[in-house]
Amino acid sequence: MAVATKLVIDFCVAFGIVLGGSLLGGIGAVLMLQPPSLVMESIASNIKIWAMVAAVGGTIDPLRLIETNIQEGYLSPAIKQIVYIITAFIGAQVGFSLVQWICKGGGEP
């Protein structure tokens, strides 16, 4: 898989996990007569790290790959993994910011 393709996929997966989990959590909150905006923001905040983990592979392997490559002196694969993690973080953060914007109304400056 090309690097650009993996970057876009990692971003979208992390973004989708945060946004989708929060929206479905908000529906659950409505069904349980809870305030959906509070539940959605809480879920979005708590799920960000898991969205990143899922986007980059779901295990500790990407971190192990970074460690192994740096120890062996291969910086390019390690930097590539770090960029994937950063991209997943940005996707999760954009999803979180969108949920915050939705919950706060988004119309006020």
Side-chain angles (χ1 to χ4, degrees):
M1 184 181 319
V3 174
T5 303
K6 178 128 175 61
L7 289 172
V8 170
I9 290 173
D10 286 353
F11 176 90
C12 290
V13 167
F15 177 81
I17 289 172
V18 172
L19 186 62
S22 298
L23 290 175
L24 288 173
I27 292 170
V30 169
L31 294 175
M32 295 291 109
L33 304 175
Q34 300 292 319
S37 61
L38 296 176
V39 171
M40 288 173 64
E41 284 189 85
S42 174
I43 290 171
S45 176
N46 293 334
I47 205 171
K48 279 192 319 186
I49 187 73
W50 298 109
M52 288 174 44
V53 170
V56 295
T59 63
I60 198 78
D61 288 337
L63 296 176
R64 190 172 293 132
L65 186 67
I66 292 169
E67 175 192 20
T68 304
N69 283 314
I70 288 176
Q71 285 178 348
E72 294 176 4
Y74 304 118
L75 294 181
S76 179
I79 291 171
K80 195 183 304 183
Q81 281 301 121
I82 292 169
V83 170
Y84 293 150
I85 292 169
I86 290 169
T87 302
F89 170 77
I90 292 169
Q93 185 62 38
V94 169
F96 175 69
S97 296
L98 181 60
V99 169
Q100 280 187 319
W101 181 75
I102 290 169
C103 291
K104 300 224 186 315
E108 300 174 24

